Amino acid sequence: MSHSLGVTGTYPLVLTLWLLPLLGAIICWAFGPQLRTMSGWLASALVGISFVLAVASWSDATQGAGGTLGAHQPLASWLPGFDFGLLLDPLSLIWTFIITGVGFLIVFYSIGYMDGDRAFARFFAYMSFFVFAMLTLVLSDNFIGLLVGWGLVGLASYFLIGFWFERQSAVAAARKAFVINVVGDVGMMFAIFLIVANVHSINFGAVFAAAPALSAGVLFAICVTLFIGAAAKSAQIPLHTWLPDAMEGPTPVSALIHAATMVTAGVYLVARCAPLWDHSHGAQLLVGGIGAATALVGAILGTAQWDIKRILAYSTMSQIGYMIMGVGVGAYEGGIAHFFAHAFFKAQLFLGAGLIIHALADEQDIRAMGGLRRRMPFAFWVMLTAVLSICGVPGFSGFFSKDAVIYGALQHGHPWVYATDIVTAGITAYYMFRLLFVAFLGEYRGEAAQAHAAAEPAHRPHAPAWIMNAPVAVLIAPSVAIGAVLMFGGENSPWQRFFAPLFGATSSRAIALPPVSEGVTTLLVFITVIIGFAIAWQRYATRSAQADAVARLRRESERMPALLTNLLYFDWLIERLFVRPAQQLGALFGRVLDPHVFDGAVRDLVYWARWLGTLVRSFQTGLVRAYALILVAGAACFIVYYAVAAGVR
């Protein structure tokens, strides 16, 4: 792996593409009332221009000279080893493509989705700020800049998840996301403390070059504390509980967080710090294990959800687990490939769900849908192609990227991770096809379900505006084909060659002859996907299953195991282990220590100061005879003291 920064110089394209979204955020925030609906077009245009500039920077990002790779734009210098700048190399370029490219489609889609919202301009200010924060994270050439971007992304997510702040649930979800992400920020801060103490630099190049000389304990501690940040941002267990609650934000926010920006930050961090992980086998085992466990847990929890956005949220958690596992065990190209493919089909899934939610007047429960294949054919084909891709059906993008991750785990000597991921693929197929069958097949259940719940009559579906359909249509082609384009050729694929200068040295760490071939792996994964599909078909798509769907779905919901309905009790444990003790500690300080100890000590000091002041003031009578008496008494005290002291001697 190359440890050197890119070729240092002046790269106005890199600087401009970084700052344009910030400009959009400032303009939309400052002049929103004047711009009104134009704020959406302005924000979209500036993010789109950033994407064009990223494409134009391809040659700068991939150039190499003298052992360096990419474009390095210095910004400021403080002390030796504490330089700040931007780095656009193949890794940050891929993330920049997704942040600005898929981000542009999501922001553009939001113009139609948020139409009529009274805080329209504020929404686009937040969205633009989110894109800028994520670009800061991935383009920084040092750990401090990365931490700044890390924190700004958490702040932007707080704004967007709680955008509809009149809803108490949205406020609670935003607060929860912010607090859990701050836990990750603290972990990263400790990692930076360790790096500065041992390397005396914050720059990636210097830190990565020093990795072989660090002791095993120090290196493991750095990797673990860095991964705390990655786990919080990328919703890895047990720091994942904020992710489904984040669905309280508008659907485009969910798409931006889950597909293009926030939750993939942890994948970027591990991939960026690959030289550290390559020299710490214990850290690789930890990250690979947590990634595999997260993939499995996310898939299991997805089977217990009926809210369309929460189903997709848990699918994101599961898919990010695949990515974290891939980059954690050293299968960097596979993990990043799955990130790249996932960005398209997950954005397509969320924006497709947004079409449904928008058409059904904010209905999100798939049990109250049904029959949408005839009513909303475009949304059906959008969701179908995306589901086929996320399930890894042969020919679709997810097939190539997911198999690369799974087989990469076996190549790098982790058979139990390999087996876990194969099982997870089958569970993913089950709950994603369940979503498709329940929402789109059979008869429309809106009226029946709402009558049963004594709710208002259902709204009939209506066609979304073209401005929402167009970005979703653009996503279909890469969701279907981008994996085949990038991964065609296996070990000599364009994707492998693209990352060879960064990760080429890591291929030697793979097992030369894994016990199972890649072809057999593909077959095993496909069999589990077929099994998951068959179970979902039997339970939700057959004629008998559709005969009394409302009652059947209600019974299934009532019979759901408590372990699943309570989300494996992660929230329950966090509530009792951390939240309640913190609240009790706060109550102790607020009701006892603060008023009676801290404030009491201050009040006592004030009391004694006043008493002493009153005592001293009482001596100030203004009478000469009183002062003379005090002098005589003082002199007498001195005489007695010295007389006694002389007698003792």
mmCIF file of all heavy atoms in Angstrom, residues 290-329:
data_model
loop_
_atom_site.group_PDB
_atom_site.id
_atom_site.type_symbol
_atom_site.label_atom_id
_atom_site.label_comp_id
_atom_site.label_asym_id
_atom_site.label_seq_id
_atom_site.Cartn_x
_atom_site.Cartn_y
_atom_site.Cartn_z
ATOM 1 N N ILE A 290 -17.294 -8.221 14.076
ATOM 2 C CA ILE A 290 -18.416 -7.309 14.332
ATOM 3 C C ILE A 290 -19.174 -7.029 13.042
ATOM 4 O O ILE A 290 -20.415 -6.961 13.042
ATOM 5 C CB ILE A 290 -17.910 -6.010 14.975
ATOM 6 C CG1 ILE A 290 -17.427 -6.289 16.401
ATOM 7 C CG2 ILE A 290 -19.003 -4.949 14.984
ATOM 8 C CD1 ILE A 290 -16.892 -5.082 17.124
ATOM 9 N N GLY A 291 -18.456 -6.877 11.925
ATOM 10 C CA GLY A 291 -19.138 -6.659 10.652
ATOM 11 C C GLY A 291 -20.036 -7.823 10.278
ATOM 12 O O GLY A 291 -21.191 -7.634 9.866
ATOM 13 N N ALA A 292 -19.528 -9.050 10.425
ATOM 14 C CA ALA A 292 -20.332 -10.232 10.098
ATOM 15 C C ALA A 292 -21.532 -10.350 11.033
ATOM 16 O O ALA A 292 -22.648 -10.657 10.589
ATOM 17 C CB ALA A 292 -19.467 -11.489 10.183
ATOM 18 N N ALA A 293 -21.322 -10.110 12.329
ATOM 19 C CA ALA A 293 -22.433 -10.180 13.287
ATOM 20 C C ALA A 293 -23.479 -9.117 12.984
ATOM 21 O O ALA A 293 -24.689 -9.376 13.081
ATOM 22 C CB ALA A 293 -21.896 -10.014 14.711
ATOM 23 N N THR A 294 -23.036 -7.918 12.611
ATOM 24 C CA THR A 294 -23.974 -6.853 12.270
ATOM 25 C C THR A 294 -24.785 -7.207 11.036
ATOM 26 O O THR A 294 -25.997 -6.944 10.974
ATOM 27 C CB THR A 294 -23.224 -5.538 12.048
ATOM 28 O OG1 THR A 294 -22.499 -5.187 13.235
ATOM 29 C CG2 THR A 294 -24.181 -4.409 11.697
ATOM 30 N N ALA A 295 -24.138 -7.795 10.036
ATOM 31 C CA ALA A 295 -24.862 -8.209 8.830
ATOM 32 C C ALA A 295 -25.966 -9.189 9.181
ATOM 33 O O ALA A 295 -27.105 -9.077 8.701
ATOM 34 C CB ALA A 295 -23.887 -8.824 7.826
ATOM 35 N N LEU A 296 -25.658 -10.158 10.035
ATOM 36 C CA LEU A 296 -26.643 -11.168 10.413
ATOM 37 C C LEU A 296 -27.750 -10.568 11.279
ATOM 38 O O LEU A 296 -28.943 -10.811 11.030
ATOM 39 C CB LEU A 296 -25.947 -12.303 11.155
ATOM 40 C CG LEU A 296 -26.841 -13.458 11.627
ATOM 41 C CD1 LEU A 296 -27.522 -14.129 10.441
ATOM 42 C CD2 LEU A 296 -26.030 -14.469 12.425
ATOM 43 N N VAL A 297 -27.394 -9.792 12.289
ATOM 44 C CA VAL A 297 -28.389 -9.203 13.187
ATOM 45 C C VAL A 297 -29.301 -8.244 12.425
ATOM 46 O O VAL A 297 -30.531 -8.244 12.622
ATOM 47 C CB VAL A 297 -27.695 -8.479 14.357
ATOM 48 C CG1 VAL A 297 -28.691 -7.633 15.142
ATOM 49 C CG2 VAL A 297 -27.031 -9.491 15.279
ATOM 50 N N GLY A 298 -28.732 -7.426 11.543
ATOM 51 C CA GLY A 298 -29.552 -6.511 10.756
ATOM 52 C C GLY A 298 -30.562 -7.255 9.898
ATOM 53 O O GLY A 298 -31.725 -6.844 9.777
ATOM 54 N N ALA A 299 -30.148 -8.362 9.297
ATOM 55 C CA ALA A 299 -31.057 -9.152 8.477
ATOM 56 C C ALA A 299 -32.159 -9.776 9.322
ATOM 57 O O ALA A 299 -33.334 -9.782 8.933
ATOM 58 C CB ALA A 299 -30.278 -10.225 7.726
ATOM 59 N N ILE A 300 -31.798 -10.303 10.486
ATOM 60 C CA ILE A 300 -32.799 -10.918 11.366
ATOM 61 C C ILE A 300 -33.831 -9.881 11.815
ATOM 62 O O ILE A 300 -35.044 -10.128 11.792
ATOM 63 C CB ILE A 300 -32.109 -11.566 12.575
ATOM 64 C CG1 ILE A 300 -31.302 -12.788 12.126
ATOM 65 C CG2 ILE A 300 -33.132 -11.969 13.633
ATOM 66 C CD1 ILE A 300 -30.444 -13.397 13.218
ATOM 67 N N LEU A 301 -33.366 -8.704 12.212
ATOM 68 C CA LEU A 301 -34.291 -7.663 12.655
ATOM 69 C C LEU A 301 -35.152 -7.153 11.507
ATOM 70 O O LEU A 301 -36.285 -6.707 11.719
ATOM 71 C CB LEU A 301 -33.520 -6.512 13.296
ATOM 72 C CG LEU A 301 -32.823 -6.840 14.622
ATOM 73 C CD1 LEU A 301 -32.039 -5.647 15.131
ATOM 74 C CD2 LEU A 301 -33.842 -7.289 15.670
ATOM 75 N N GLY A 302 -34.633 -7.209 10.287
ATOM 76 C CA GLY A 302 -35.424 -6.801 9.133
ATOM 77 C C GLY A 302 -36.656 -7.662 8.932
ATOM 78 O O GLY A 302 -37.668 -7.201 8.388
ATOM 79 N N THR A 303 -36.604 -8.913 9.375
ATOM 80 C CA THR A 303 -37.751 -9.810 9.216
ATOM 81 C C THR A 303 -38.901 -9.455 10.140
ATOM 82 O O THR A 303 -40.020 -9.945 9.960
ATOM 83 C CB THR A 303 -37.334 -11.270 9.484
ATOM 84 O OG1 THR A 303 -36.943 -11.409 10.862
ATOM 85 C CG2 THR A 303 -36.174 -11.687 8.595
ATOM 86 N N ALA A 304 -38.655 -8.618 11.155
ATOM 87 C CA ALA A 304 -39.685 -8.290 12.142
ATOM 88 C C ALA A 304 -40.329 -6.939 11.884
ATOM 89 O O ALA A 304 -41.161 -6.494 12.685
ATOM 90 C CB ALA A 304 -39.083 -8.310 13.551
ATOM 91 N N GLN A 305 -39.979 -6.276 10.790
ATOM 92 C CA GLN A 305 -40.456 -4.926 10.535
ATOM 93 C C GLN A 305 -41.584 -4.924 9.501
ATOM 94 O O GLN A 305 -41.588 -5.723 8.566
ATOM 95 C CB GLN A 305 -39.310 -4.038 10.041
ATOM 96 C CG GLN A 305 -38.100 -4.023 10.946
ATOM 97 C CD GLN A 305 -38.422 -3.557 12.342
ATOM 98 O OE1 GLN A 305 -39.051 -2.516 12.531
ATOM 99 N NE2 GLN A 305 -37.991 -4.324 13.342
ATOM 100 N N TRP A 306 -42.506 -3.966 9.665
ATOM 101 C CA TRP A 306 -43.580 -3.768 8.688
ATOM 102 C C TRP A 306 -43.538 -2.362 8.099
ATOM 103 O O TRP A 306 -44.137 -2.119 7.058
ATOM 104 C CB TRP A 306 -44.947 -4.015 9.339
ATOM 105 C CG TRP A 306 -45.122 -5.421 9.816
ATOM 106 C CD1 TRP A 306 -45.096 -5.869 11.102
ATOM 107 C CD2 TRP A 306 -45.327 -6.588 9.007
ATOM 108 N NE1 TRP A 306 -45.274 -7.224 11.159
ATOM 109 C CE2 TRP A 306 -45.433 -7.701 9.883
ATOM 110 C CE3 TRP A 306 -45.441 -6.798 7.638
ATOM 111 C CZ2 TRP A 306 -45.639 -8.994 9.433
ATOM 112 C CZ3 TRP A 306 -45.652 -8.095 7.189
ATOM 113 C CH2 TRP A 306 -45.747 -9.175 8.069
ATOM 114 N N ASP A 307 -42.868 -1.451 8.745
ATOM 115 C CA ASP A 307 -42.678 -0.104 8.206
ATOM 116 C C ASP A 307 -41.670 -0.189 7.060
ATOM 117 O O ASP A 307 -40.551 -0.671 7.241
ATOM 118 C CB ASP A 307 -42.173 0.825 9.311
ATOM 119 C CG ASP A 307 -42.023 2.263 8.860
ATOM 120 O OD1 ASP A 307 -41.269 2.504 7.887
ATOM 121 O OD2 ASP A 307 -42.641 3.145 9.471
ATOM 122 N N ILE A 308 -42.046 0.289 5.882
ATOM 123 C CA ILE A 308 -41.205 0.110 4.704
ATOM 124 C C ILE A 308 -39.840 0.758 4.885
ATOM 125 O O ILE A 308 -38.812 0.204 4.457
ATOM 126 C CB ILE A 308 -41.927 0.645 3.445
ATOM 127 C CG1 ILE A 308 -41.141 0.271 2.189
ATOM 128 C CG2 ILE A 308 -42.168 2.148 3.532
ATOM 129 C CD1 ILE A 308 -41.896 0.553 0.900
ATOM 130 N N LYS A 309 -39.784 1.907 5.540
ATOM 131 C CA LYS A 309 -38.499 2.575 5.731
ATOM 132 C C LYS A 309 -37.644 1.863 6.778
ATOM 133 O O LYS A 309 -36.420 1.814 6.654
ATOM 134 C CB LYS A 309 -38.723 4.042 6.117
ATOM 135 C CG LYS A 309 -39.212 4.899 4.968
ATOM 136 C CD LYS A 309 -39.571 6.315 5.412
ATOM 137 C CE LYS A 309 -38.384 7.080 5.883
ATOM 138 N NZ LYS A 309 -38.703 8.488 6.221
ATOM 139 N N ARG A 310 -38.267 1.303 7.796
ATOM 140 C CA ARG A 310 -37.492 0.572 8.796
ATOM 141 C C ARG A 310 -36.951 -0.737 8.232
ATOM 142 O O ARG A 310 -35.865 -1.179 8.609
ATOM 143 C CB ARG A 310 -38.344 0.314 10.043
ATOM 144 C CG ARG A 310 -38.487 1.555 10.915
ATOM 145 C CD ARG A 310 -39.270 1.285 12.177
ATOM 146 N NE ARG A 310 -39.226 2.459 13.047
ATOM 147 C CZ ARG A 310 -38.389 2.630 14.059
ATOM 148 N NH1 ARG A 310 -37.515 1.689 14.340
ATOM 149 N NH2 ARG A 310 -38.405 3.724 14.786
ATOM 150 N N ILE A 311 -37.707 -1.377 7.347
ATOM 151 C CA ILE A 311 -37.181 -2.563 6.663
ATOM 152 C C ILE A 311 -35.912 -2.196 5.909
ATOM 153 O O ILE A 311 -34.887 -2.889 5.985
ATOM 154 C CB ILE A 311 -38.232 -3.152 5.709
ATOM 155 C CG1 ILE A 311 -39.429 -3.690 6.487
ATOM 156 C CG2 ILE A 311 -37.615 -4.272 4.858
ATOM 157 C CD1 ILE A 311 -40.595 -4.098 5.608
ATOM 158 N N LEU A 312 -35.967 -1.088 5.184
ATOM 159 C CA LEU A 312 -34.798 -0.654 4.422
ATOM 160 C C LEU A 312 -33.671 -0.205 5.348
ATOM 161 O O LEU A 312 -32.492 -0.361 5.017
ATOM 162 C CB LEU A 312 -35.196 0.476 3.468
ATOM 163 C CG LEU A 312 -36.239 0.114 2.412
ATOM 164 C CD1 LEU A 312 -36.535 1.317 1.514
ATOM 165 C CD2 LEU A 312 -35.778 -1.069 1.574
ATOM 166 N N ALA A 313 -34.018 0.352 6.513
ATOM 167 C CA ALA A 313 -32.989 0.766 7.466
ATOM 168 C C ALA A 313 -32.201 -0.440 7.970
ATOM 169 O O ALA A 313 -30.960 -0.424 8.019
ATOM 170 C CB ALA A 313 -33.624 1.505 8.636
ATOM 171 N N TYR A 314 -32.907 -1.505 8.328
ATOM 172 C CA TYR A 314 -32.205 -2.696 8.793
ATOM 173 C C TYR A 314 -31.455 -3.384 7.660
ATOM 174 O O TYR A 314 -30.409 -4.011 7.894
ATOM 175 C CB TYR A 314 -33.178 -3.655 9.475
ATOM 176 C CG TYR A 314 -33.489 -3.246 10.888
ATOM 177 C CD1 TYR A 314 -34.746 -2.778 11.246
ATOM 178 C CD2 TYR A 314 -32.504 -3.293 11.875
ATOM 179 C CE1 TYR A 314 -35.026 -2.379 12.545
ATOM 180 C CE2 TYR A 314 -32.774 -2.898 13.169
ATOM 181 C CZ TYR A 314 -34.028 -2.438 13.516
ATOM 182 O OH TYR A 314 -34.287 -2.039 14.795
ATOM 183 N N SER A 315 -31.958 -3.263 6.442
ATOM 184 C CA SER A 315 -31.196 -3.804 5.314
ATOM 185 C C SER A 315 -29.899 -3.021 5.128
ATOM 186 O O SER A 315 -28.858 -3.597 4.796
ATOM 187 C CB SER A 315 -32.034 -3.770 4.030
ATOM 188 O OG SER A 315 -32.117 -2.475 3.481
ATOM 189 N N THR A 316 -29.946 -1.711 5.360
ATOM 190 C CA THR A 316 -28.721 -0.906 5.304
ATOM 191 C C THR A 316 -27.737 -1.352 6.371
ATOM 192 O O THR A 316 -26.540 -1.534 6.105
ATOM 193 C CB THR A 316 -29.045 0.581 5.498
ATOM 194 O OG1 THR A 316 -29.895 1.018 4.444
ATOM 195 C CG2 THR A 316 -27.770 1.415 5.491
ATOM 196 N N MET A 317 -28.223 -1.516 7.573
ATOM 197 C CA MET A 317 -27.363 -1.998 8.663
ATOM 198 C C MET A 317 -26.692 -3.311 8.272
ATOM 199 O O MET A 317 -25.482 -3.500 8.483
ATOM 200 C CB MET A 317 -28.213 -2.178 9.916
ATOM 201 C CG MET A 317 -27.498 -2.837 11.085
ATOM 202 S SD MET A 317 -28.643 -3.075 12.473
ATOM 203 C CE MET A 317 -27.712 -4.268 13.440
ATOM 204 N N SER A 318 -27.466 -4.221 7.690
ATOM 205 C CA SER A 318 -26.925 -5.515 7.293
ATOM 206 C C SER A 318 -25.886 -5.373 6.186
ATOM 207 O O SER A 318 -24.804 -5.976 6.244
ATOM 208 C CB SER A 318 -28.068 -6.425 6.838
ATOM 209 O OG SER A 318 -27.595 -7.696 6.484
ATOM 210 N N GLN A 319 -26.188 -4.563 5.167
ATOM 211 C CA GLN A 319 -25.270 -4.410 4.043
ATOM 212 C C GLN A 319 -23.992 -3.670 4.452
ATOM 213 O O GLN A 319 -22.905 -3.992 3.968
ATOM 214 C CB GLN A 319 -25.961 -3.668 2.888
ATOM 215 C CG GLN A 319 -27.175 -4.385 2.328
ATOM 216 C CD GLN A 319 -26.851 -5.780 1.845
ATOM 217 O OE1 GLN A 319 -25.939 -5.989 1.056
ATOM 218 N NE2 GLN A 319 -27.616 -6.760 2.324
ATOM 219 N N ILE A 320 -24.118 -2.697 5.348
ATOM 220 C CA ILE A 320 -22.917 -2.027 5.857
ATOM 221 C C ILE A 320 -22.066 -3.026 6.642
ATOM 222 O O ILE A 320 -20.837 -2.965 6.639
ATOM 223 C CB ILE A 320 -23.287 -0.822 6.740
ATOM 224 C CG1 ILE A 320 -24.042 0.226 5.927
ATOM 225 C CG2 ILE A 320 -22.039 -0.194 7.343
ATOM 226 C CD1 ILE A 320 -23.241 0.884 4.833
ATOM 227 N N GLY A 321 -22.732 -3.972 7.325
ATOM 228 C CA GLY A 321 -21.988 -5.028 7.997
ATOM 229 C C GLY A 321 -21.132 -5.819 7.024
ATOM 230 O O GLY A 321 -19.974 -6.147 7.314
ATOM 231 N N TYR A 322 -21.675 -6.133 5.839
ATOM 232 C CA TYR A 322 -20.887 -6.792 4.797
ATOM 233 C C TYR A 322 -19.652 -5.955 4.450
ATOM 234 O O TYR A 322 -18.536 -6.473 4.333
ATOM 235 C CB TYR A 322 -21.729 -6.969 3.534
ATOM 236 C CG TYR A 322 -22.562 -8.222 3.476
ATOM 237 C CD1 TYR A 322 -23.943 -8.158 3.572
ATOM 238 C CD2 TYR A 322 -21.987 -9.472 3.296
ATOM 239 C CE1 TYR A 322 -24.731 -9.301 3.502
ATOM 240 C CE2 TYR A 322 -22.763 -10.621 3.220
ATOM 241 C CZ TYR A 322 -24.135 -10.534 3.326
ATOM 242 O OH TYR A 322 -24.892 -11.665 3.252
ATOM 243 N N MET A 323 -19.866 -4.657 4.249
ATOM 244 C CA MET A 323 -18.756 -3.787 3.838
ATOM 245 C C MET A 323 -17.683 -3.704 4.919
ATOM 246 O O MET A 323 -16.485 -3.810 4.628
ATOM 247 C CB MET A 323 -19.282 -2.382 3.533
ATOM 248 C CG MET A 323 -20.322 -2.298 2.456
ATOM 249 S SD MET A 323 -20.968 -0.608 2.346
ATOM 250 C CE MET A 323 -22.605 -0.927 1.710
ATOM 251 N N ILE A 324 -18.124 -3.501 6.171
ATOM 252 C CA ILE A 324 -17.182 -3.410 7.278
ATOM 253 C C ILE A 324 -16.403 -4.711 7.415
ATOM 254 O O ILE A 324 -15.183 -4.721 7.639
ATOM 255 C CB ILE A 324 -17.918 -3.079 8.588
ATOM 256 C CG1 ILE A 324 -18.410 -1.627 8.584
ATOM 257 C CG2 ILE A 324 -17.036 -3.329 9.795
ATOM 258 C CD1 ILE A 324 -17.342 -0.581 8.730
ATOM 259 N N MET A 325 -17.104 -5.823 7.284
ATOM 260 C CA MET A 325 -16.432 -7.113 7.350
ATOM 261 C C MET A 325 -15.388 -7.230 6.246
ATOM 262 O O MET A 325 -14.261 -7.677 6.488
ATOM 263 C CB MET A 325 -17.459 -8.245 7.232
ATOM 264 C CG MET A 325 -16.892 -9.648 7.346
ATOM 265 S SD MET A 325 -16.238 -10.290 5.782
ATOM 266 C CE MET A 325 -17.722 -10.341 4.789
ATOM 267 N N GLY A 326 -15.743 -6.818 5.021
ATOM 268 C CA GLY A 326 -14.817 -6.930 3.893
ATOM 269 C C GLY A 326 -13.542 -6.137 4.115
ATOM 270 O O GLY A 326 -12.432 -6.678 4.020
ATOM 271 N N VAL A 327 -13.693 -4.848 4.426
ATOM 272 C CA VAL A 327 -12.493 -4.026 4.611
ATOM 273 C C VAL A 327 -11.777 -4.402 5.903
ATOM 274 O O VAL A 327 -10.564 -4.208 6.019
ATOM 275 C CB VAL A 327 -12.848 -2.519 4.593
ATOM 276 C CG1 VAL A 327 -13.386 -2.108 3.239
ATOM 277 C CG2 VAL A 327 -13.860 -2.163 5.688
ATOM 278 N N GLY A 328 -12.513 -4.940 6.885
ATOM 279 C CA GLY A 328 -11.885 -5.314 8.149
ATOM 280 C C GLY A 328 -10.942 -6.493 8.013
ATOM 281 O O GLY A 328 -9.861 -6.498 8.610
ATOM 282 N N VAL A 329 -11.319 -7.509 7.220
ATOM 283 C CA VAL A 329 -10.471 -8.699 7.094
ATOM 284 C C VAL A 329 -9.403 -8.544 6.020
ATOM 285 O O VAL A 329 -8.557 -9.427 5.865
ATOM 286 C CB VAL A 329 -11.323 -9.954 6.797
ATOM 287 C CG1 VAL A 329 -12.334 -10.187 7.899
ATOM 288 C CG2 VAL A 329 -12.009 -9.860 5.432
#
